[in-house]
Amino acid sequence: MNISRFFGSTSREAMRQVRLALGPDALIVSNRRVNGGVEILATDSSSVPGATAERAPMPTGTAHQAAGIRQQDMAAPPAADNVMGAIGALRGALEGRMDDLVWSHQMRRSPVAVNLFQSLLSQGFSTALLRALLKRLPPELGARAALQWVRTELETHLPVLRAEDSLWQPGLALALVGPTGVGKTTTLAKLAARAVRRFGPDKVVLLTTDTYRIGAHEQLKIYGDLMRVAVHIVQDVAQLRSVMLGVRPDQVILIDNMGISQRDRYVREQAALLAGAGRRVQRLLVLNAASQGDTLDEVARSYTQDGGTPLSGCIISKVDEAIKLGAPLDTAIRFKLPIHYVSNGQKVPEDLRFMSAGELVDSALQVRESQRPLYAASSGDLAALLESGGQSAQEHQAEEERRARVLPRLLSAASAGGPVGLEQARRAAADLDERLACAEAYDFWRDLHAPHAAVQDGAAAQRAEGLMRAACQEVSEGDVSRLLVIHADHQPAGSQEQCSFSFLFSPKGQALSVPYYQRQTPSQWSDVRGVRSMERPSPTQALNQAMQVLNTQAQPVNLLHIFEGGSPTMWRQWADMPADWLALIPGATSLWHKDGKTTPNALSKQLAFHAIPDLAARLHLETLGRVRLSEIALWYAVEPVQLRQRQGEPVHLDLIVLRTVRRHDGKVLKTRFAFMHQHAGAEPIAPASLACYMMLRSEVQEMARLFNTVRGILPASHSEFEEELHLLAAAQLTLACWDLLQAPDNRGVRQLSARLLGKPGLKSSQSVDALVKMLVLKEAMS
């Protein structure tokens, strides 16, 4: 009996393949669920003894089918295999149908799941993976929290090479395999360049088995000559074994192979060739990111089942030509192929990147401006598919009753303004999810109060990188290419500890996250990455380090660094950096203007000031300096100035002067000064926006007053690593408290939290208690 294997994302898809390959009379041997879909073993009925007996014609209208397999005439002696096959097919069809019903029911009940399904499908992810993922989606999450949950799940399950050093070991033998035209030769040259940099040209050997494609070995020979690396051409297993045995054990061997269609029988022959090399060869499958998902699935399936040594992983090529990256990541997850590198261009060796799981997932979820989802279901398409069903009245009522049983005491305890309704609480919890600062604070709060194992080294660094990625994703979704980084120092009263935090804001003042801090204790200096030193860096060195770390992590999003203070030496040094910065300075700072040496105080008396008429549109905040936005006006002036020294070129900066004026009587409340520097080629920033950013910097000082209170409500730390994570959590919770007070979008949350506190309104001193109440409420509702 010749048994064939078929795989599909559902039973229906797998049975369709059976019918196409073996005809409607195919016999099912087994039917079982495997990772990512359904596997069916089937055979042609002609290969079963006794199955070829002549059948009587089937009367019209009496045909019986089980999952698309035609029933044999009852007069024919039924074969045991045929009976078991029919039963297996029927069971598979029933399982598939039940699975479809459960999935359809969940989609109809959860608009968030529907939106995520549509979004991820448009990014190239398969329906099989999305089903497995979204079935575990917590039902209480809002849109933002659900997207973050999906991002975390994808990052957790995406296999990647943990570190480059784990790959590049002396004696490595690496072969690239895959279909034609996916970029194997160019990618191999990029890998060879990395190997030469690590080991030297005498430790690297290039091999090619591609003697079929015209000019293939000549192309590799050119690369080898440029890198002064030996290149060998082999045609069969004997030549390959001979070359491999002649290479020193410490030399790295990189093998380029002929591109073979996944449907070509030579795939198995090539696998056998590499398996007989006489030395262990790691095979990496090159996946073309611009290919369709079904094509990548077929390629991965063919090369994982070619009979050779198991694939060690994959390399994703032609990323620069792809509109979406979901398909190759989906393939890597389902076939468990660790991603080693990503090739994003033709340049050798530059266009080859080693990316973390988080970076890959963020790239896949990022919507490109040129992307037009012509081949994915739209909202209208999904609505048309789901409109035939919905949540029944009984189900909706049962859900409401369950929620009402969980929350009655908490909601009825509010004394100011009467009891709180369940719907109001649900809206407030959803509003928290829509504010990144609050959503991240909730994640910290939940993790810190959940039982878990001891915090390991690097936990704070990993969490901080996630905060940066989330902030970059937030502004990229809003079609904004810049983030504000406000650097501020904090020293708790009566403590010898001093911390420097880097707060991220959107250009309109929305609080986002705190992805970096530095900490100074009497015994050592450290930062969120776990870097430690016994020597305390100077203020210039500390700020330089913070700017460099954040600029690297935020690429390609631009950062504007905002800080207070400095010195002429520091400002000159920062003017040479490829970074944009805004430094608040004293009015007595010495500078050079066209009329000679002067100070900002003196120069401001000669400048013409301009009003900012659309202040509320530029800063989405409730107050500035404890004064409501509607009660003040901002006037600014800009003037180019210089910093001069006896030996050296002058440094050109812009002086920004900002006056805060009370509207009803025109009194100047405060005058602020700042130096502004933008590196060459940067997108100009409107002076009115810079003036607003100077005011935003003053708000961070108000925020620092909440930090000590927040640290007091966190659980005690039991290790140095746990203390690092708690410090990051305290900073994020502090930012969330400020966002609760300041964001116009959080008015509903403010009102509810004030009622839960039994207060008519929310004050700054009550914001920490209010945030805790809302976090507990949100956790109870989940």
Side-chain angles (χ1 to χ4, degrees):
M1 181 186 300
N2 297 321
I3 298 177
S4 302
R5 179 183 179 277
F6 301 89
F7 178 88
S9 57
T10 64
S11 295
R12 186 180 296 105
E13 171 62 21
M15 290 302 304
R16 184 185 66 82
Q17 297 181 29
V18 173
R19 289 195 296 272
L20 289 176
L22 303 179
D25 295 326
L27 303 180
I28 305 300
V29 177
S30 68
N31 181 334
R32 67 188 183 98
R33 291 200 167 275
V34 295
N35 183 31
V38 176
E39 178 190 75
I40 293 179
L41 298 182
T43 183
D44 187 357
S45 59
S46 62
S47 65
V48 180
T52 58
E54 182 180 355
R55 297 181 177 88
M58 185 170 293
T60 304
T62 61
H64 298 280
Q65 294 183 355
I69 306 301
R70 184 179 303 164
Q71 187 182 29
Q72 296 183 9
D73 192 324
M74 297 301 295
D81 287 343
N82 190 21
V83 173
M84 294 304 298
I87 293 175
L90 179 59
R91 182 175 61 185
L94 290 175
E95 288 178 354
R97 180 58 179 161
M98 290 297 296
D99 183 67
D100 291 343
L101 289 174
V102 172
W103 171 244
S104 177
H105 180 68
Q106 179 185 358
M107 292 285 280
R108 284 195 294 267
R109 292 186 59 189
S110 176
V112 173
V114 172
N115 292 334
L116 276 176
F117 182 80
Q118 177 196 350
S119 175
L120 295 172
L121 194 64
S122 67
Q123 296 302 324
F125 291 96
S126 69
T127 57
L129 180 67
L130 295 184
R131 279 195 181 196
L133 184 67
L134 296 181
K135 281 178 181 177
R136 298 185 295 104
L137 178 69
E140 73 278 359
L141 297 182
R144 183 190 303 278
L147 179 60
Q148 186 61 39
W149 182 89
V150 167
R151 180 181 285 112
T152 302
E153 287 295 303
L154 289 174
E155 181 179 345
T156 300
H157 292 91
L158 181 66
V160 295
L161 184 67
R162 291 190 176 274
E164 286 189 89
D165 292 339
S166 63
L167 172 68
W168 297 108
Q169 300 294 329
L172 168 70
L174 187 69
L176 300 187
V177 298
T180 57
V182 296
K184 293 187 297 298
T185 303
T186 304
T187 303
L188 191 84
K190 298 173 185 177
L191 293 174
R194 293 197 174 217
V196 168
R197 283 200 300 266
R198 284 174 174 264
F199 303 106
D202 60 322
K203 294 291 185 66
V204 180
V205 177
L206 300 182
L207 271 68
T208 178
T209 66
D210 189 357
T211 57
Y212 177 79
R213 185 165 56 94
I214 297 176
H217 59 276
E218 285 86 353
Q219 181 183 1
L220 192 64
K221 186 71 166 60
I222 292 173
Y223 285 131
D225 291 342
L226 291 173
M227 291 180 281
R228 295 176 297 169
V229 171
V231 179
H232 299 273
I233 303 171
V234 297
Q235 296 183 345
D236 52 36
V237 67
Q239 291 184 2
L240 177 61
R241 182 182 290 271
S242 175
V243 172
M244 297 285 275
L245 293 178
V247 173
R248 297 197 310 271
D250 62 332
Q251 287 184 301
V252 173
I253 304 174
L254 301 177
I255 306 173
D256 184 27
N257 290 281
M258 181 176 68
I260 308 170
S261 168
Q262 64 272 18
R263 302 169 190 167
D264 196 312
R265 63 174 179 82
Y266 190 69
V267 170
R268 289 185 172 275
E269 296 181 17
Q270 184 185 82
L273 172 69
L274 296 175
R279 181 171 173 176
R280 181 177 178 271
V281 177
Q282 296 187 40
R283 298 192 303 155
L284 294 183
L285 178 62
V286 182
L287 297 174
N288 181 0
S291 294
Q292 297 177 350
D294 289 335
T295 302
L296 294 178
D297 180 84
E298 186 179 16
V299 168
R301 193 169 308 284
S302 175
Y303 278 88
T304 54
Q305 299 175 358
D306 58 8
T309 57
L311 294 175
S312 299
C314 66
I315 293 177
I316 301 176
S317 67
K318 300 185 182 293
V319 172
D320 54 315
E321 300 177 13
I323 292 294
K324 55 188 74 171
L325 296 180
L329 300 194
D330 185 293
T331 304
I333 292 173
R334 288 187 294 106
F335 288 91
K336 299 180 180 179
L337 298 175
I339 300 173
H340 286 52
Y341 289 101
V342 171
S343 175
N344 58 341
Q346 295 294 318
K347 295 181 180 178
V348 177
E350 297 91 342
D351 294 335
L352 189 70
R353 294 186 61 192
F354 176 77
M355 300 178 68
S356 66
E359 292 172 325
L360 288 166
V361 171
D362 286 342
S363 298
L365 297 183
Q366 183 178 4
V367 179
R368 292 161 176 78
E369 296 180 0
S370 60
Q371 183 172 340
R372 297 177 59 194
L374 298 177
Y375 298 93
S378 66
S379 299
D381 298 329
L382 291 177
L385 294 173
L386 297 174
E387 68 178 358
S388 59
Q391 186 178 24
S392 65
Q394 293 83 358
E395 291 171 337
H396 182 74
Q397 182 179 359
E399 178 69 14
E400 290 297 320
E401 291 175 355
R402 186 186 72 83
R403 293 289 188 187
R405 286 195 302 270
V406 174
L407 303 171
R409 292 175 179 258
L410 179 62
L411 299 182
S412 63
S415 58
V420 177
L422 181 62
E423 187 58 33
Q424 182 184 4
R426 181 181 290 111
R427 286 198 304 269
D431 288 342
L432 283 180
D433 285 337
E434 293 304 313
R435 304 290 299 181
L436 180 62
C438 296
E440 294 290 352
Y442 173 69
D443 289 341
F444 271 115
W445 174 264
R446 183 185 55 192
D447 294 345
L448 291 176
H449 289 83
H452 55 76
V455 176
Q456 302 298 318
D457 187 12
Q462 184 177 4
R463 198 65 177 267
E465 291 177 3
L467 292 173
M468 172 58 82
R469 288 197 301 269
C472 293
Q473 185 73 20
E474 180 79 10
V475 296
S476 63
E477 290 174 354
D479 202 19
V480 177
S481 59
R482 188 183 304 278
L483 276 173
L484 308 181
V485 187
I486 298 183
H487 303 274
D489 297 333
H490 175 71
Q491 184 169 9
S495 172
Q496 294 183 313
E497 176 186 83
Q498 183 174 351
C499 299
S500 300
F501 296 101
S502 299
F503 299 90
L504 293 186
F505 292 84
S506 76
K508 292 191 176 181
Q510 176 188 348
L512 299 176
S513 63
V514 191
Y516 186 78
Y517 70 74
Q518 299 179 14
R519 181 186 181 203
Q520 175 68 36
T521 65
S523 60
Q524 70 173 6
W525 172 93
S526 63
D527 71 358
V528 72
R529 300 172 302 164
V531 178
R532 296 176 177 84
S533 173
M534 294 183 62
E535 297 182 4
R536 180 173 183 172
S538 67
T540 304
Q541 294 170 335
L543 188 54
N544 279 348
Q545 176 143 316
M547 293 169 69
Q548 291 172 1
V549 170
L550 294 174
N551 283 342
T552 301
Q553 292 181 347
Q555 291 180 354
V557 176
N558 296 319
L559 301 181
L560 173 62
H561 298 271
I562 306 172
F563 51 90
E564 187 168 357
S567 66
T569 302
M570 295 167 65
W571 297 324
R572 290 190 187 95
Q573 180 176 347
W574 289 326
D576 294 331
M577 292 177 60
D580 302 337
W581 52 267
L582 184 69
L584 277 71
I585 60 173
T589 301
S590 178
L591 54 84
W592 191 274
H593 191 243
K594 56 187 176 182
D595 296 330
K597 193 174 182 179
T598 184
T599 64
N601 268 328
L603 184 58
S604 64
K605 300 175 182 179
Q606 310 172 21
L607 302 179
F609 283 79
H610 308 275
I612 302 178
D614 54 347
L615 182 58
R618 290 183 179 273
L619 282 179
H620 291 176
L621 302 177
E622 290 286 339
T623 64
L624 278 176
R626 299 188 178 184
V627 181
R628 298 193 65 83
L629 234 61
S630 58
E631 298 176 3
I632 61 173
L634 297 184
W635 292 74
Y636 70 91
V638 182
E639 186 71 10
V641 296
Q642 296 178 0
L643 298 178
R644 292 191 176 183
Q645 58 182 1
R646 293 183 178 180
Q647 297 178 351
E649 294 293 327
V651 175
H652 298 272
L653 301 171
D654 285 331
L655 174 67
I656 314 291
V657 184
L658 172 66
R659 286 177 177 171
T660 307
V661 179
R662 194 160 55 197
R663 284 188 181 277
H664 74 271
D665 59 5
K667 180 182 178 180
V668 177
L669 300 176
K670 192 172 183 63
T671 301
R672 294 177 172 85
F673 308 95
F675 282 145
M676 171 64 193
H677 171 266
Q678 279 195 276
H679 70 280
E683 182 181 353
I685 305 175
S689 297
L690 294 172
C692 292
Y693 302 159
M694 294 169 63
M695 287 297 298
L696 189 62
R697 172 62 179 78
S698 65
E699 290 299 312
V700 175
Q701 299 303 121
E702 296 290 328
M703 191 190 313
R705 301 179 182 181
L706 304 173
F707 183 77
N708 289 340
T709 306
V710 171
R711 290 197 75 176
I713 65 174
L714 296 184
S717 302
H718 299 94
S719 68
E720 185 176 3
F721 304 140
E722 198 167 335
E723 176 64 21
E724 293 174 350
L725 189 62
H726 283 199
L727 187 61
L728 188 65
Q732 187 64 41
L733 286 162
T734 302
L735 187 64
C737 290
W738 181 86
D739 188 61
L740 181 64
L741 290 168
Q742 285 284 15
D745 296 341
N746 267 346
R747 285 172 186 164
V749 181
R750 278 195 296 275
Q751 293 172 0
L752 177 59
S753 59
R755 292 176 65 182
L756 292 175
L757 290 173
K759 305 292 183 181
L762 191 62
K763 298 180 181 179
S764 176
S765 59
Q766 301 163 344
S767 61
V768 177
D769 290 339
L771 180 66
V772 171
K773 285 278 189 182
M774 291 306 305
L775 297 179
V776 172
L777 173 63
K778 179 172 172 55
E779 190 168 15
M781 294 189 67
S782 62

